[in-house]
Amino acid sequence: MSGNKRHTCVFGLGWGDEGKGKVVDLLCPGFQFVVRFNGGANAGHTVYVGKDKFALHLLPAGVLHDHVQAVIGSGVVVDPTMLISELDALARRGIDAGQRLRISDRAHLVLPYHKIEDQLSEGAAKPGAKIGTTARGIGPCYADKMRRTTAIRFADLAGEADVLERARRIVEARKSAFQSTYGNDGGLNADDVALELKNARERLSSNICDTTALLHKADRDGQAILFEGANGVLLDIDHGTYPFVTSSSTGPYGIGPGAGLPDSVVTHRIGTAKAYSTRVGSGPFVTELKDALGDRIRDRGREFGTTTGRPRRCGWFDAVACRYSAAVSGATGIALMHLDTLSGFDEIGVCIAYRVDGRTLQSPPASASLLERAEPVIEFHPGWTEDLGGVSSLEDLPENARAYLR
């Protein structure tokens, strides 16, 4: 049993982009370890330190605090070139994150053929079947993880003498498969893959370790661990709006496979959500506003993706989806972000149910086609005009804003 009652997980209750990085940054002073346990470079956490903006994709947001040990767990798929680039970018700004980073030897590497497969697959899909992937190779890498024989882990990079030769064999097989399926091999080159692996071995070998043992020791020693989720529960491979999802377990239940500690050690599960809804890429979005209201929310909230720069789709808060994701994840608290974005709206909508095929639903159906046809049942609340920028307590919020929160 854990002797520490302070372990906390911060995760998204929506489709990502809920402000997890900001919450992690605020909480970091109370933690010695910050752990990424899922996803890959498809995540984008934006953190401001004073006026300095940091956009992180693989490194936990907590790495910006110099007392924090940053950990990339076994459930993360790591693009080594992007990770090295992130570390170098921080070093140029005076942050030596590499000394405080540990990478699980069980984590898998995202290599060029994964990204090429992502691009070829999405490019070949019919418009209605496009997943809206970030093309960062995440799904193909997780697929290789499940295939087993075509996967390369950091343990292989550190200890397997013939890993470069094995990578060459994988590349040749993948080129042939691409040619057969898509009519071209995407420019895949075995020498490029070998060079990436050599660079990764040279630059990251000192960071590779058994992070499961590291975290179990930290737990026994009474050190506080903050688990940092990527993406959001509505993008979860099992519980999200399948197939328009990511390829990992995005909620606190992903901590076991993704970090090696049982999720029962986590006392506080903080789900992040926006005061409205957003989504990037394809997939059903019941409350989406495809009009001037949606444009206004996007502009006021600066809703453009950290990872891709794509404009986010915007809509009213979806209480149906949020109730579901909070229940699935066992959220013990919610950090509601971007309430200030809604200042100045005469009225603000909340979706309280779905209506589809003559039925009223209080929970999201598993079928994406049903969700696509669903219409939101919207309850409108009076808005407020006050600027919330200087508000630091619940009591100082305008009455209508407090009523909206309730």
Side-chain angles (χ1 to χ4, degrees), residues 82-113:
M82 181 167 280
L83 179 58
I84 291 166
S85 176
E86 246 177 76
L87 289 168
D88 289 346
L90 289 180
R92 289 193 293 270
R93 299 172 73 172
I95 299 173
D96 187 5
Q99 294 296 317
R100 294 179 286 106
L101 174 66
R102 295 295 176 266
I103 305 167
S104 171
D105 50 9
R106 293 174 169 87
H108 288 244
L109 279 80
V110 176
L111 293 167
Y113 47 83

PDB file of all heavy atoms in Angstrom, residues 82-113:
ATOM      1  N   MET A  82      12.120  14.508 -31.963  1.00  0.00           N
ATOM      2  CA  MET A  82      11.363  15.624 -31.407  1.00  0.00           C
ATOM      3  C   MET A  82      11.718  15.861 -29.946  1.00  0.00           C
ATOM      4  O   MET A  82      11.807  17.003 -29.493  1.00  0.00           O
ATOM      5  CB  MET A  82       9.863  15.384 -31.560  1.00  0.00           C
ATOM      6  CG  MET A  82       9.016  16.517 -31.023  1.00  0.00           C
ATOM      7  SD  MET A  82       7.281  16.430 -31.511  1.00  0.00           S
ATOM      8  CE  MET A  82       7.384  17.087 -33.172  1.00  0.00           C
ATOM      9  N   LEU A  83      11.936  14.781 -29.197  1.00  0.00           N
ATOM     10  CA  LEU A  83      12.316  14.937 -27.794  1.00  0.00           C
ATOM     11  C   LEU A  83      13.652  15.658 -27.669  1.00  0.00           C
ATOM     12  O   LEU A  83      13.809  16.576 -26.847  1.00  0.00           O
ATOM     13  CB  LEU A  83      12.384  13.563 -27.117  1.00  0.00           C
ATOM     14  CG  LEU A  83      12.801  13.560 -25.644  1.00  0.00           C
ATOM     15  CD1 LEU A  83      11.863  14.407 -24.794  1.00  0.00           C
ATOM     16  CD2 LEU A  83      12.865  12.132 -25.114  1.00  0.00           C
ATOM     17  N   ILE A  84      14.626  15.260 -28.477  1.00  0.00           N
ATOM     18  CA  ILE A  84      15.934  15.927 -28.462  1.00  0.00           C
ATOM     19  C   ILE A  84      15.784  17.400 -28.831  1.00  0.00           C
ATOM     20  O   ILE A  84      16.391  18.281 -28.209  1.00  0.00           O
ATOM     21  CB  ILE A  84      16.909  15.213 -29.415  1.00  0.00           C
ATOM     22  CG1 ILE A  84      17.259  13.830 -28.863  1.00  0.00           C
ATOM     23  CG2 ILE A  84      18.172  16.039 -29.636  1.00  0.00           C
ATOM     24  CD1 ILE A  84      17.945  12.911 -29.870  1.00  0.00           C
ATOM     25  N   SER A  85      14.944  17.675 -29.831  1.00  0.00           N
ATOM     26  CA  SER A  85      14.695  19.056 -30.247  1.00  0.00           C
ATOM     27  C   SER A  85      14.087  19.872 -29.110  1.00  0.00           C
ATOM     28  O   SER A  85      14.448  21.033 -28.887  1.00  0.00           O
ATOM     29  CB  SER A  85      13.777  19.060 -31.473  1.00  0.00           C
ATOM     30  OG  SER A  85      13.445  20.372 -31.854  1.00  0.00           O
ATOM     31  N   GLU A  86      13.151  19.259 -28.367  1.00  0.00           N
ATOM     32  CA  GLU A  86      12.527  19.941 -27.236  1.00  0.00           C
ATOM     33  C   GLU A  86      13.545  20.240 -26.144  1.00  0.00           C
ATOM     34  O   GLU A  86      13.556  21.334 -25.570  1.00  0.00           O
ATOM     35  CB  GLU A  86      11.394  19.069 -26.677  1.00  0.00           C
ATOM     36  CG  GLU A  86      10.025  19.681 -26.854  1.00  0.00           C
ATOM     37  CD  GLU A  86       8.906  18.773 -26.365  1.00  0.00           C
ATOM     38  OE1 GLU A  86       8.709  18.675 -25.136  1.00  0.00           O
ATOM     39  OE2 GLU A  86       8.224  18.182 -27.211  1.00  0.00           O
ATOM     40  N   LEU A  87      14.389  19.271 -25.849  1.00  0.00           N
ATOM     41  CA  LEU A  87      15.422  19.460 -24.834  1.00  0.00           C
ATOM     42  C   LEU A  87      16.394  20.560 -25.240  1.00  0.00           C
ATOM     43  O   LEU A  87      16.773  21.416 -24.422  1.00  0.00           O
ATOM     44  CB  LEU A  87      16.184  18.152 -24.602  1.00  0.00           C
ATOM     45  CG  LEU A  87      15.415  17.043 -23.885  1.00  0.00           C
ATOM     46  CD1 LEU A  87      16.172  15.722 -23.988  1.00  0.00           C
ATOM     47  CD2 LEU A  87      15.173  17.395 -22.421  1.00  0.00           C
ATOM     48  N   ASP A  88      16.782  20.566 -26.514  1.00  0.00           N
ATOM     49  CA  ASP A  88      17.708  21.593 -27.011  1.00  0.00           C
ATOM     50  C   ASP A  88      17.081  22.981 -26.966  1.00  0.00           C
ATOM     51  O   ASP A  88      17.747  23.973 -26.628  1.00  0.00           O
ATOM     52  CB  ASP A  88      18.152  21.259 -28.439  1.00  0.00           C
ATOM     53  CG  ASP A  88      19.094  20.071 -28.498  1.00  0.00           C
ATOM     54  OD1 ASP A  88      19.611  19.673 -27.446  1.00  0.00           O
ATOM     55  OD2 ASP A  88      19.300  19.542 -29.613  1.00  0.00           O
ATOM     56  N   ALA A  89      15.782  23.059 -27.309  1.00  0.00           N
ATOM     57  CA  ALA A  89      15.093  24.354 -27.284  1.00  0.00           C
ATOM     58  C   ALA A  89      15.041  24.915 -25.866  1.00  0.00           C
ATOM     59  O   ALA A  89      15.236  26.122 -25.653  1.00  0.00           O
ATOM     60  CB  ALA A  89      13.680  24.205 -27.859  1.00  0.00           C
ATOM     61  N   LEU A  90      14.802  24.046 -24.879  1.00  0.00           N
ATOM     62  CA  LEU A  90      14.795  24.506 -23.491  1.00  0.00           C
ATOM     63  C   LEU A  90      16.200  24.911 -23.041  1.00  0.00           C
ATOM     64  O   LEU A  90      16.373  25.912 -22.322  1.00  0.00           O
ATOM     65  CB  LEU A  90      14.251  23.414 -22.582  1.00  0.00           C
ATOM     66  CG  LEU A  90      12.751  23.115 -22.681  1.00  0.00           C
ATOM     67  CD1 LEU A  90      12.370  21.999 -21.708  1.00  0.00           C
ATOM     68  CD2 LEU A  90      11.909  24.361 -22.400  1.00  0.00           C
ATOM     69  N   ALA A  91      17.205  24.155 -23.472  1.00  0.00           N
ATOM     70  CA  ALA A  91      18.592  24.478 -23.100  1.00  0.00           C
ATOM     71  C   ALA A  91      18.985  25.854 -23.607  1.00  0.00           C
ATOM     72  O   ALA A  91      19.676  26.612 -22.907  1.00  0.00           O
ATOM     73  CB  ALA A  91      19.539  23.405 -23.632  1.00  0.00           C
ATOM     74  N   ARG A  92      18.524  26.197 -24.824  1.00  0.00           N
ATOM     75  CA  ARG A  92      18.828  27.522 -25.377  1.00  0.00           C
ATOM     76  C   ARG A  92      18.187  28.633 -24.558  1.00  0.00           C
ATOM     77  O   ARG A  92      18.623  29.783 -24.617  1.00  0.00           O
ATOM     78  CB  ARG A  92      18.372  27.601 -26.835  1.00  0.00           C
ATOM     79  CG  ARG A  92      19.225  26.781 -27.799  1.00  0.00           C
ATOM     80  CD  ARG A  92      18.942  27.144 -29.242  1.00  0.00           C
ATOM     81  NE  ARG A  92      17.590  26.758 -29.639  1.00  0.00           N
ATOM     82  CZ  ARG A  92      17.275  25.574 -30.171  1.00  0.00           C
ATOM     83  NH1 ARG A  92      18.209  24.652 -30.324  1.00  0.00           N
ATOM     84  NH2 ARG A  92      16.031  25.311 -30.530  1.00  0.00           N
ATOM     85  N   ARG A  93      17.162  28.283 -23.803  1.00  0.00           N
ATOM     86  CA  ARG A  93      16.479  29.270 -22.955  1.00  0.00           C
ATOM     87  C   ARG A  93      16.893  29.135 -21.494  1.00  0.00           C
ATOM     88  O   ARG A  93      16.238  29.658 -20.596  1.00  0.00           O
ATOM     89  CB  ARG A  93      14.967  29.115 -23.119  1.00  0.00           C
ATOM     90  CG  ARG A  93      14.517  29.359 -24.557  1.00  0.00           C
ATOM     91  CD  ARG A  93      13.063  29.034 -24.790  1.00  0.00           C
ATOM     92  NE  ARG A  93      12.162  30.004 -24.210  1.00  0.00           N
ATOM     93  CZ  ARG A  93      10.848  30.034 -24.400  1.00  0.00           C
ATOM     94  NH1 ARG A  93      10.291  29.130 -25.193  1.00  0.00           N
ATOM     95  NH2 ARG A  93      10.099  30.937 -23.822  1.00  0.00           N
ATOM     96  N   GLY A  94      18.001  28.411 -21.268  1.00  0.00           N
ATOM     97  CA  GLY A  94      18.575  28.343 -19.934  1.00  0.00           C
ATOM     98  C   GLY A  94      17.994  27.280 -19.025  1.00  0.00           C
ATOM     99  O   GLY A  94      18.244  27.293 -17.814  1.00  0.00           O
ATOM    100  N   ILE A  95      17.223  26.329 -19.577  1.00  0.00           N
ATOM    101  CA  ILE A  95      16.615  25.274 -18.760  1.00  0.00           C
ATOM    102  C   ILE A  95      17.268  23.941 -19.107  1.00  0.00           C
ATOM    103  O   ILE A  95      17.091  23.423 -20.213  1.00  0.00           O
ATOM    104  CB  ILE A  95      15.090  25.203 -18.990  1.00  0.00           C
ATOM    105  CG1 ILE A  95      14.437  26.530 -18.605  1.00  0.00           C
ATOM    106  CG2 ILE A  95      14.477  24.046 -18.200  1.00  0.00           C
ATOM    107  CD1 ILE A  95      12.971  26.618 -18.959  1.00  0.00           C
ATOM    108  N   ASP A  96      18.024  23.394 -18.169  1.00  0.00           N
ATOM    109  CA  ASP A  96      18.721  22.122 -18.414  1.00  0.00           C
ATOM    110  C   ASP A  96      17.814  20.973 -17.979  1.00  0.00           C
ATOM    111  O   ASP A  96      18.010  20.350 -16.927  1.00  0.00           O
ATOM    112  CB  ASP A  96      20.046  22.098 -17.646  1.00  0.00           C
ATOM    113  CG  ASP A  96      20.891  20.882 -17.992  1.00  0.00           C
ATOM    114  OD1 ASP A  96      20.479  20.122 -18.898  1.00  0.00           O
ATOM    115  OD2 ASP A  96      21.938  20.676 -17.354  1.00  0.00           O
ATOM    116  N   ALA A  97      16.814  20.682 -18.807  1.00  0.00           N
ATOM    117  CA  ALA A  97      15.836  19.650 -18.470  1.00  0.00           C
ATOM    118  C   ALA A  97      16.406  18.244 -18.595  1.00  0.00           C
ATOM    119  O   ALA A  97      15.942  17.320 -17.932  1.00  0.00           O
ATOM    120  CB  ALA A  97      14.607  19.789 -19.363  1.00  0.00           C
ATOM    121  N   GLY A  98      17.415  18.079 -19.433  1.00  0.00           N
ATOM    122  CA  GLY A  98      17.964  16.757 -19.681  1.00  0.00           C
ATOM    123  C   GLY A  98      18.526  16.090 -18.435  1.00  0.00           C
ATOM    124  O   GLY A  98      18.480  14.865 -18.294  1.00  0.00           O
ATOM    125  N   GLN A  99      19.052  16.877 -17.506  1.00  0.00           N
ATOM    126  CA  GLN A  99      19.608  16.321 -16.275  1.00  0.00           C
ATOM    127  C   GLN A  99      18.522  15.767 -15.358  1.00  0.00           C
ATOM    128  O   GLN A  99      18.802  14.938 -14.488  1.00  0.00           O
ATOM    129  CB  GLN A  99      20.403  17.409 -15.533  1.00  0.00           C
ATOM    130  CG  GLN A  99      21.631  17.889 -16.259  1.00  0.00           C
ATOM    131  CD  GLN A  99      22.667  16.795 -16.423  1.00  0.00           C
ATOM    132  OE1 GLN A  99      22.934  16.031 -15.495  1.00  0.00           O
ATOM    133  NE2 GLN A  99      23.241  16.691 -17.613  1.00  0.00           N
ATOM    134  N   ARG A 100      17.283  16.223 -15.551  1.00  0.00           N
ATOM    135  CA  ARG A 100      16.184  15.834 -14.652  1.00  0.00           C
ATOM    136  C   ARG A 100      15.159  14.940 -15.338  1.00  0.00           C
ATOM    137  O   ARG A 100      14.082  14.713 -14.805  1.00  0.00           O
ATOM    138  CB  ARG A 100      15.499  17.087 -14.104  1.00  0.00           C
ATOM    139  CG  ARG A 100      16.392  17.915 -13.200  1.00  0.00           C
ATOM    140  CD  ARG A 100      15.698  19.161 -12.693  1.00  0.00           C
ATOM    141  NE  ARG A 100      15.573  20.170 -13.728  1.00  0.00           N
ATOM    142  CZ  ARG A 100      14.438  20.482 -14.349  1.00  0.00           C
ATOM    143  NH1 ARG A 100      13.326  19.854 -14.043  1.00  0.00           N
ATOM    144  NH2 ARG A 100      14.415  21.411 -15.281  1.00  0.00           N
ATOM    145  N   LEU A 101      15.505  14.427 -16.522  1.00  0.00           N
ATOM    146  CA  LEU A 101      14.568  13.600 -17.287  1.00  0.00           C
ATOM    147  C   LEU A 101      14.943  12.132 -17.210  1.00  0.00           C
ATOM    148  O   LEU A 101      16.100  11.765 -17.405  1.00  0.00           O
ATOM    149  CB  LEU A 101      14.564  14.045 -18.761  1.00  0.00           C
ATOM    150  CG  LEU A 101      13.739  13.165 -19.717  1.00  0.00           C
ATOM    151  CD1 LEU A 101      12.252  13.261 -19.387  1.00  0.00           C
ATOM    152  CD2 LEU A 101      14.001  13.568 -21.168  1.00  0.00           C
ATOM    153  N   ARG A 102      13.936  11.295 -16.960  1.00  0.00           N
ATOM    154  CA  ARG A 102      14.116   9.855 -17.034  1.00  0.00           C
ATOM    155  C   ARG A 102      13.068   9.277 -17.993  1.00  0.00           C
ATOM    156  O   ARG A 102      11.890   9.617 -17.910  1.00  0.00           O
ATOM    157  CB  ARG A 102      13.983   9.210 -15.652  1.00  0.00           C
ATOM    158  CG  ARG A 102      15.076   9.638 -14.672  1.00  0.00           C
ATOM    159  CD  ARG A 102      16.446   9.144 -15.130  1.00  0.00           C
ATOM    160  NE  ARG A 102      17.526   9.624 -14.261  1.00  0.00           N
ATOM    161  CZ  ARG A 102      18.244  10.714 -14.481  1.00  0.00           C
ATOM    162  NH1 ARG A 102      18.000  11.454 -15.569  1.00  0.00           N
ATOM    163  NH2 ARG A 102      19.211  11.069 -13.668  1.00  0.00           N
ATOM    164  N   ILE A 103      13.525   8.387 -18.890  1.00  0.00           N
ATOM    165  CA  ILE A 103      12.664   7.776 -19.903  1.00  0.00           C
ATOM    166  C   ILE A 103      12.568   6.287 -19.598  1.00  0.00           C
ATOM    167  O   ILE A 103      13.584   5.613 -19.393  1.00  0.00           O
ATOM    168  CB  ILE A 103      13.242   7.968 -21.319  1.00  0.00           C
ATOM    169  CG1 ILE A 103      13.505   9.445 -21.614  1.00  0.00           C
ATOM    170  CG2 ILE A 103      12.299   7.373 -22.366  1.00  0.00           C
ATOM    171  CD1 ILE A 103      14.363   9.675 -22.848  1.00  0.00           C
ATOM    172  N   SER A 104      11.362   5.766 -19.600  1.00  0.00           N
ATOM    173  CA  SER A 104      11.175   4.339 -19.326  1.00  0.00           C
ATOM    174  C   SER A 104      11.857   3.489 -20.390  1.00  0.00           C
ATOM    175  O   SER A 104      11.718   3.731 -21.594  1.00  0.00           O
ATOM    176  CB  SER A 104       9.686   3.993 -19.294  1.00  0.00           C
ATOM    177  OG  SER A 104       9.509   2.586 -19.226  1.00  0.00           O
ATOM    178  N   ASP A 105      12.581   2.470 -19.924  1.00  0.00           N
ATOM    179  CA  ASP A 105      13.195   1.540 -20.878  1.00  0.00           C
ATOM    180  C   ASP A 105      12.140   0.682 -21.571  1.00  0.00           C
ATOM    181  O   ASP A 105      12.421   0.022 -22.565  1.00  0.00           O
ATOM    182  CB  ASP A 105      14.248   0.656 -20.193  1.00  0.00           C
ATOM    183  CG  ASP A 105      13.751  -0.013 -18.918  1.00  0.00           C
ATOM    184  OD1 ASP A 105      12.534   0.056 -18.634  1.00  0.00           O
ATOM    185  OD2 ASP A 105      14.587  -0.601 -18.198  1.00  0.00           O
ATOM    186  N   ARG A 106      10.898   0.732 -21.080  1.00  0.00           N
ATOM    187  CA  ARG A 106       9.801  -0.001 -21.707  1.00  0.00           C
ATOM    188  C   ARG A 106       9.019   0.854 -22.710  1.00  0.00           C
ATOM    189  O   ARG A 106       8.116   0.340 -23.384  1.00  0.00           O
ATOM    190  CB  ARG A 106       8.844  -0.533 -20.634  1.00  0.00           C
ATOM    191  CG  ARG A 106       9.448  -1.602 -19.741  1.00  0.00           C
ATOM    192  CD  ARG A 106       8.492  -1.981 -18.610  1.00  0.00           C
ATOM    193  NE  ARG A 106       8.924  -3.175 -17.907  1.00  0.00           N
ATOM    194  CZ  ARG A 106       9.766  -3.179 -16.882  1.00  0.00           C
ATOM    195  NH1 ARG A 106      10.263  -2.021 -16.430  1.00  0.00           N
ATOM    196  NH2 ARG A 106      10.115  -4.311 -16.298  1.00  0.00           N
ATOM    197  N   ALA A 107       9.307   2.142 -22.800  1.00  0.00           N
ATOM    198  CA  ALA A 107       8.618   3.018 -23.745  1.00  0.00           C
ATOM    199  C   ALA A 107       9.047   2.704 -25.177  1.00  0.00           C
ATOM    200  O   ALA A 107      10.188   2.296 -25.429  1.00  0.00           O
ATOM    201  CB  ALA A 107       8.900   4.484 -23.420  1.00  0.00           C
ATOM    202  N   HIS A 108       8.133   2.910 -26.126  1.00  0.00           N
ATOM    203  CA  HIS A 108       8.385   2.604 -27.530  1.00  0.00           C
ATOM    204  C   HIS A 108       8.780   3.854 -28.304  1.00  0.00           C
ATOM    205  O   HIS A 108       8.369   4.975 -27.961  1.00  0.00           O
ATOM    206  CB  HIS A 108       7.133   1.989 -28.160  1.00  0.00           C
ATOM    207  CG  HIS A 108       6.862   0.596 -27.700  1.00  0.00           C
ATOM    208  ND1 HIS A 108       6.888  -0.490 -28.545  1.00  0.00           N
ATOM    209  CD2 HIS A 108       6.577   0.082 -26.471  1.00  0.00           C
ATOM    210  CE1 HIS A 108       6.634  -1.598 -27.865  1.00  0.00           C
ATOM    211  NE2 HIS A 108       6.432  -1.273 -26.603  1.00  0.00           N
ATOM    212  N   LEU A 109       9.584   3.635 -29.363  1.00  0.00           N
ATOM    213  CA  LEU A 109      10.065   4.745 -30.184  1.00  0.00           C
ATOM    214  C   LEU A 109       9.178   4.946 -31.408  1.00  0.00           C
ATOM    215  O   LEU A 109       8.838   3.975 -32.114  1.00  0.00           O
ATOM    216  CB  LEU A 109      11.496   4.493 -30.654  1.00  0.00           C
ATOM    217  CG  LEU A 109      12.612   4.807 -29.654  1.00  0.00           C
ATOM    218  CD1 LEU A 109      12.762   3.663 -28.649  1.00  0.00           C
ATOM    219  CD2 LEU A 109      13.942   5.060 -30.359  1.00  0.00           C
ATOM    220  N   VAL A 110       8.825   6.196 -31.677  1.00  0.00           N
ATOM    221  CA  VAL A 110       8.182   6.586 -32.933  1.00  0.00           C
ATOM    222  C   VAL A 110       9.283   6.891 -33.932  1.00  0.00           C
ATOM    223  O   VAL A 110      10.146   7.748 -33.682  1.00  0.00           O
ATOM    224  CB  VAL A 110       7.289   7.827 -32.740  1.00  0.00           C
ATOM    225  CG1 VAL A 110       6.713   8.287 -34.083  1.00  0.00           C
ATOM    226  CG2 VAL A 110       6.167   7.539 -31.750  1.00  0.00           C
ATOM    227  N   LEU A 111       9.272   6.194 -35.057  1.00  0.00           N
ATOM    228  CA  LEU A 111      10.334   6.336 -36.060  1.00  0.00           C
ATOM    229  C   LEU A 111       9.744   6.835 -37.381  1.00  0.00           C
ATOM    230  O   LEU A 111       8.514   6.897 -37.530  1.00  0.00           O
ATOM    231  CB  LEU A 111      11.060   5.003 -36.208  1.00  0.00           C
ATOM    232  CG  LEU A 111      11.851   4.627 -34.937  1.00  0.00           C
ATOM    233  CD1 LEU A 111      12.299   3.173 -34.965  1.00  0.00           C
ATOM    234  CD2 LEU A 111      13.054   5.557 -34.751  1.00  0.00           C
ATOM    235  N   PRO A 112      10.576   7.221 -38.343  1.00  0.00           N
ATOM    236  CA  PRO A 112      10.051   7.839 -39.576  1.00  0.00           C
ATOM    237  C   PRO A 112       8.972   7.043 -40.273  1.00  0.00           C
ATOM    238  O   PRO A 112       8.033   7.625 -40.836  1.00  0.00           O
ATOM    239  CB  PRO A 112      11.313   7.973 -40.442  1.00  0.00           C
ATOM    240  CG  PRO A 112      12.417   8.179 -39.448  1.00  0.00           C
ATOM    241  CD  PRO A 112      12.069   7.292 -38.289  1.00  0.00           C
ATOM    242  N   TYR A 113       9.070   5.706 -40.266  1.00  0.00           N
ATOM    243  CA  TYR A 113       8.058   4.923 -40.983  1.00  0.00           C
ATOM    244  C   TYR A 113       6.685   5.011 -40.318  1.00  0.00           C
ATOM    245  O   TYR A 113       5.661   4.854 -40.980  1.00  0.00           O
ATOM    246  CB  TYR A 113       8.493   3.463 -41.165  1.00  0.00           C
ATOM    247  CG  TYR A 113       9.032   2.762 -39.954  1.00  0.00           C
ATOM    248  CD1 TYR A 113       8.191   2.175 -39.018  1.00  0.00           C
ATOM    249  CD2 TYR A 113      10.413   2.647 -39.776  1.00  0.00           C
ATOM    250  CE1 TYR A 113       8.701   1.506 -37.915  1.00  0.00           C
ATOM    251  CE2 TYR A 113      10.932   1.970 -38.673  1.00  0.00           C
ATOM    252  CZ  TYR A 113      10.073   1.414 -37.742  1.00  0.00           C
ATOM    253  OH  TYR A 113      10.576   0.753 -36.658  1.00  0.00           O
TER     254      TYR A 113
END
